[in-house]
Each structure stands twice: as C-alpha cells, then as structure tokens.
Amino acid sequence: MRAGLVDRLAELSRGAGEPAVIVDRPDVTVVRSGGTVLKAHAPRLDPAALATRLRVAAHPLLAGILLAPLGELSPVEGRHVSRWPYGAPVAPDAPEAAPWREAGHLAARLHAVPVDRLPGPLPPMAGPANAARAVAALRATLTAPAPRIPADPVPAPGRTRASAPAASAPPHAPTPAPQRLTAPERVPAPNGTLAPDPASAGPGPAADRTAAALVLRAWERLPAWARDDEPRAQPRSLLCHGDLHLGQLVRHPAPDGPWHLIDVDDLGLGEPAWDLARPAAGYATGLIPAADWAAFLGGYRAGRGSAVAPGDDLWPPEVDVPARTLTVQLAARALVDAATGVRPLDDTDHDLLAACARIAAMGDGTGPGGAP
C-alpha cells in the first residue's frame, strides 16, 4: 500500500522534476519534485478539519507566517494529499545558524492572528491529544505479547549529542537547565525509593518495563488537562501550530527567502504556551543551549507573544506543564519506536527518560511555579 502511494505521488509530481521521497512513514509520506511537495497526511486526521486547516494556511492573514498550500486536498490511494511549494529547511549541518529567534517571532505572530476572521470551524489544537495518544500507544505496547524495547549500550561519560536540528527532539550539547525539570541524576521517587536512571538500566525486558513505568508515572504526575482527560479551567483559544520545532521552518522562496512555518496537521485553537513546549522541554532537559532558548523566547516576546509575560525570565511558569508533557510524550514515542523496531533508543532518548524520572518525583504542576 505504501509503495503504491509513494509511486503514485511520484507520478503526480513528476512534471515538476525528478521526484524524491523526503518522508515515508506509516502515517505520513512526503514526495518532492522540483519546486513542488506532495504530502499524504495521516489517516487518523479528520479530512474536514484538515481541509479547514489548509484554508486557514491559505488565508491572507497568515501570509508570511504559514506557508500557503497549492490548492485543496486531493484523494490519492485512499489518502488525503496536499500540495505545497518547496521551502528550504533548516540546515542540519549548521546548528549555530538555526533560526531560533525567527521561530519565536513566527509563533508570536501566529498567536496574534484574529481567529474570528479565519475560515472555520477551527478544530482544537492537537497538543494534549497527541500526548495522550503517545502514552496510549506505550500502554498498548506493554500489553502486546512479549514486548521488547531495545536500548543502545550505555553512553560513556562525555558522550556527545547530535549537532543538527532534528524533528524528534531538540539537539545540541547539554547546558544548565531550569530548576523545575533538572535535579540530581538520581532523585527520590514518590514512594520513597530511588527513581532509576533509564540510561543506566541496560538492555533487557526488566529495563524495558522500568523505562516504561517511569514514563507512565511521570504522565500521572501531570494535571488532567495536560493529559487530555478534562477541559482546562479558563482555557484560551488562540490560533496555535500544535507541533512547533525547528523542523517546521522553511525558507520560501528557496533558498534564502523569509522563514515560514509548515505542517498544519495539528493547527487549531488552544493554549499558546503549548507552541513553546518543544523548545522549552529541550532547554529543560539540557538538549538545547541556554542561548538558543533565550533567542527563541526573546523572539517570541519581541513579537508581543501572549503565551508568556513580558520580561527576561528564562523559565516563565506558563511553559512548565506543557514542557513536562512534551517530555513525557517524546519519551513515550521513543519507547514505542524502539519496541516496534523503528529505531533503537539514542542519547537524546536517554536524556528524555532521565527527565521523566525527575518529573515522576515532582508534584502535579498545579501549585506555585507550575501552569494552572
């Protein structure tokens, strides 16, 4: 089925140039041909909501913020396919030139768009639902026959992380991180025992179960609204991207046009702090340098973004619970990928799992210092 989909997308785009597969996963397939990109969206997405998201991206109020699609959805091999102009992505070999400030500024502009002037009805931003889906997948993996979550050998001291922006989690070398998510390497768990460091547990079924249990314990420490269990008190309904990270930025026109946000699959109404959660989680877990996080936050505040208060606080309380939630989501997704043979755990995954151990030893984020 997927091979037929790739072939069909390549055939449809061939007139623009020699087709090349950019992404080919069970949920998403992306093919580029010259200046045109075709994307087959995840089957789980509601086509009516997706069509609305495309209309929003094409609206004049989003010009210069979201990349505009080339037309509407088309059915291809039983999937819903959108067509886009090609934009040059963030250079993977130049992390020092990553557009952190520009990303923050684009997020602020997105959040300021008046939603009552946009096509509707707009669906909810998919942030908490995506987190709940990742944890549900982890639970399903644990109940499957003979679950197995392979782990890489324990990295030696002084290990290095990837130096290029990645879609799965923010990279870069470790730096001092905010107090809320950082703690000694091993911290007391809520039951009085010592929370294990998943990176040192070693491979094997016991380690697999230990890592998954840590993630699930961290999940239960989150407020109900962050787990998508109940509506949030005093919810906000601003236009949000829903899955903001450096992999969602491109220059258009390529190669050196202004930066635009891409990928509208999770676009919708919701809490704007969620769009700051991915880089915040990277900073809090030591995966993004303080300077990069400060640049992102500075760009957001310079754009008068409403998710956080003005000032120079590098850890505004509004981002705390979303950052914890994204950390748990990414760790759960990594364990599922490892269990299903998509890829083994890497250094970034071990850092996320260690952060989950620290989150598991915290409160539920509803008191002082956490988002309400």
Side-chain angles (χ1 to χ4, degrees):
M1 178 68 176
R2 284 170 57 193
L5 176 63
V6 170
D7 291 343
R8 182 63 177 140
L9 292 179
E11 178 184 337
L12 290 173
S13 64
R14 192 176 300 277
E18 188 63 27
V21 178
I22 299 176
V23 177
D24 184 19
R25 302 196 310 259
D27 57 337
V28 174
T29 301
V30 180
V31 173
R32 177 197 171 190
S33 183
T36 302
V37 174
L38 271 63
K39 177 178 181 178
H41 297 265
R44 65 174 175 79
L45 294 177
D46 174 52
L50 185 56
T52 299
R53 289 170 169 134
L54 262 66
R55 289 195 294 271
V56 169
H59 195 278
L61 286 175
L62 277 300
I65 303 174
L66 281 175
L67 193 66
L70 301 173
E72 300 181 350
L73 286 173
S74 301
V76 177
E77 296 290 326
R79 299 282 289 276
H80 296 284
V81 173
S82 57
R83 187 185 298 264
W84 304 84
Y86 172 74
V90 176
D93 56 350
E96 71 284 352
W100 288 108
R101 186 173 181 84
E102 292 87 345
H105 199 267
L106 284 170
R109 292 177 61 194
L110 182 71
H111 297 162
V113 172
V115 296
D116 58 347
R117 297 173 58 188
L118 297 175
L122 274 165
M125 178 264 295
N130 282 344
R133 190 177 297 110
V135 172
L138 177 60
R139 288 193 172 113
T141 300
L142 288 174
T143 59
R148 176 70 182 95
I149 305 176
D152 285 346
V154 179
R159 69 188 184 190
T160 58
R161 296 182 177 88
S163 60
S168 59
H172 302 298
T175 56
Q179 186 174 3
R180 289 179 180 84
L181 291 188
T182 53
E185 282 300 314
R186 297 172 65 83
V187 296
N191 61 5
T193 63
L194 200 63
D197 177 359
S200 63
D208 301 346
R209 295 281 180 175
T210 296
L214 274 175
V215 172
L216 295 177
R217 187 190 305 160
W219 177 251
E220 294 303 322
R221 285 289 180 174
L222 299 171
W225 68 265
R227 302 194 308 267
D228 203 35
D229 282 345
E230 63 183 41
R232 183 176 185 178
Q234 300 179 331
R236 302 181 73 184
S237 291
L238 301 185
L239 184 63
C240 300
H241 183 275
D243 187 27
L244 185 65
H245 54 80
L246 285 188
Q248 308 287 35
L249 272 75
V250 298
R251 286 188 179 274
H252 179 73
D256 53 8
W259 291 103
H260 290 70
L261 294 173
I262 61 170
D263 189 355
V264 299
D265 288 8
D266 297 314
L267 187 76
L269 300 179
E271 168 55 54
W274 209 273
D275 280 346
L276 280 62
R278 188 76 164 259
Y283 168 55
T285 53
L287 296 168
I288 291 178
D292 289 346
W293 167 243
F296 177 87
L297 205 54
Y300 187 80
R301 284 174 165 146
R304 300 177 182 267
S306 60
V308 298
D312 55 5
D313 183 4
L314 272 186
W315 195 249
E318 297 87 351
V319 306
D320 188 69
V321 168
R324 296 192 206 184
T325 308
L326 259 291
T327 300
V328 175
Q329 174 184 327
L330 294 172
R333 191 179 294 165
L335 290 177
V336 171
D337 283 351
T340 54
V342 174
R343 63 178 182 85
L345 299 178
D346 59 19
D347 286 358
T348 293
D349 300 326
H350 289 309
D351 289 329
L352 291 168
L353 291 169
C356 285
R358 298 191 290 273
I359 294 170
M362 293 180 176
D364 63 4
T366 59

